[in-house]
């Protein structure tokens, strides 16, 4: 039914007052659509926190999903919470790993906002051969060199780890997930390797390849408790970065 037919039908039903009522209805719908569009296009800011130091971080043990914060890590999480207290954050989204959940919980003692979890923010899955082993072990060093510090093809895989291609695809999904959040200011709690992949993909998109990532990751360390600030402007979707920008990288808050 077109607008004219709708107004005539409404006019018949309401005894001559339908045209006015219909126009009011259309105006209300238009205003609501405009409000929705403006909300969808507004700038969103993301405060991306690397979890606090863990007991295994301090011992240089390669981790899986388990392992909580040590005292230094708890202090870093408190410092991040204090830093973010005035950022008007509306929600925290964290990796479901033990260390990120603990970091998010400490930060939320300052923010007091809803906390949700997404596996998209989890750390890169290490090959099972090195999980729980010291980074100083000669065999572990060799494997890490092959995966993280040597140039290789995008699809290179040592064994059962999440390789470059896997991680790049997840970073793409994660950016879409974050961009679709309705909140204007969000705290994101994640991990070092995934954070660096997320930012690398944000900046270079499909032009990013494994040798590029190796260089970017090596020269841009992400410290425990560090905060990276990104913004998403939906109206710049057709820019090279699809509307994303990095405002600050690896800021280290102090209480």
């Amino acid at each position: 039914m077109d607008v004219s037919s709708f107004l005539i039908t409404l006019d018949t039903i309401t005894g001559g007052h339908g045209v006015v009522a219909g126009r009011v209805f259309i105006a209300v719908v238009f205003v609501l659509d405009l409000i929705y569009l403006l909300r969808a296009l507004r700038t969103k800011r993301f405060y991306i926190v690397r979890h606090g130091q863990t007991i295994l971080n301090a011992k240089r043990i390669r981790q899986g999903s388990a392992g909580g914060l040590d005292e230094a890590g708890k202090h870093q999480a408190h410092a991040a919470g204090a830093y973010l207290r005035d950022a008007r954050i509306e929600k925290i989204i964290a990796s479901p790993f033990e260390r990120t959940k603990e970091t998010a919980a400490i930060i939320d003692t300052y923010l007091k906002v809803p906390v949700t979890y997404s596996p998209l923010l989890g750390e890169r899955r290490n090959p099972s051969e090195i999980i729980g082993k010291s980074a100083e072990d000669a065999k572990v060093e060799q494997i890490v060199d092959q995966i993280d510090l040597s140039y290789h093809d995008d699809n290179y895989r040592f064994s059962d780890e999440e390789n470059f291609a896997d991680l790049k695809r997840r970073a793409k999904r994660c950016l879409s997930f974050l961009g679709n959040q309705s909140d204007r200011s969000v705290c994101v709690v994640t991990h070092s390797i995934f954070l660096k992949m997320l930012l690398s993909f944000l900046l270079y998109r499909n032009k990013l390849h494994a040798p590029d990532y190796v260089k970017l990751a090596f020269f841009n360390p992400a410290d425990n408790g560090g905060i990276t600030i990104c913004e998403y402007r939906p109206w710049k979707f057709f820019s090279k970065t699809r509307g994303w920008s990095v405002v600050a990288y690896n800021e280290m808050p102090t209480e």
Side-chain angles (χ1 to χ4, degrees), residues 44 46 93 173-181 188 198 244:
K44 301 170 187 177
F46 298 89
I93 309 175
R173 294 198 304 273
C174 188
L175 276 186
S176 178
F177 167 72
L178 293 177
N180 286 326
Q181 297 300 309
V188 176
L198 187 69
W244 286 91

Side-chain angles (χ1 to χ4, degrees), residues 59-244:
K59 294 181 177 180
R60 300 197 67 218
I61 302 296
R62 305 297 292 198
Q63 299 180 94
S65 60
L69 305 183
D70 63 11
E71 288 306 311
K74 293 174 183 177
H75 179 80
Q76 291 162 345
H78 279 288
Y83 178 93
L84 296 171
R85 185 163 38 199
D86 298 323
R88 297 184 178 180
I89 288 170
E90 300 166 74
K91 178 167 59 179
I92 298 172
I93 309 175
S95 154
F97 287 23
E98 184 178 350
R99 52 194 180 273
T100 39
K101 291 175 74 173
E102 189 174 355
T103 300
I106 291 173
I107 291 173
D108 197 44
T109 62
Y110 296 84
L111 306 184
K112 303 187 188 309
V113 296
V115 181
T116 61
Y117 305 98
S118 172
L120 287 172
L121 293 166
E123 183 57 299
R124 190 269 312 276
R125 186 179 67 252
N126 278 313
S128 56
E129 291 88 343
I130 71 173
I131 294 176
K133 296 181 180 178
S134 171
E136 296 173 359
D137 179 285
K139 183 61 176 177
V140 172
E141 284 187 341
Q142 181 184 6
I143 294 171
V144 171
D145 283 349
Q146 287 179 245
I147 295 172
D148 293 337
L149 301 178
S150 301
Y151 294 163
H152 50 69
D153 182 79
D154 288 3
N155 292 305
Y156 168 78
R157 192 184 304 277
F158 175 78
S159 64
D160 59 351
E161 80 277 9
E162 190 174 19
N163 71 0
F164 171 84
D166 298 330
L167 205 58
K168 180 179 172 180
R169 283 192 290 270
R170 181 153 64 90
K172 182 177 182 178
R173 294 198 304 273
C174 188
L175 276 186
S176 178
F177 167 72
L178 293 177
N180 286 326
Q181 297 300 309
S182 59
D183 302 291
R184 295 187 65 180
S185 186
V186 178
C187 173
V188 176
V189 186
T190 187
H191 307 261
S192 173
I193 294 175
F194 183 70
L195 168 61
K196 289 185 281 189
M197 174 58 79
L198 187 69
L199 297 180
S200 297
F201 183 78
L202 181 158
L203 293 171
Y204 297 100
R205 309 295 296 195
N206 291 328
K207 292 182 179 179
L208 180 71
H209 296 287
D212 309 310
Y213 173 71
V214 168
K215 289 182 285 187
L216 289 165
F218 181 79
F219 289 108
N220 294 280
D223 297 313
N224 289 111
I227 299 175
T228 294
I229 304 172
C230 295
E231 287 187 343
Y232 177 54
R233 295 176 174 83
W235 70 90
K236 290 189 175 183
F237 181 79
F238 293 104
S239 67
K240 290 182 179 179
T241 60
R242 302 291 191 270
W244 286 91

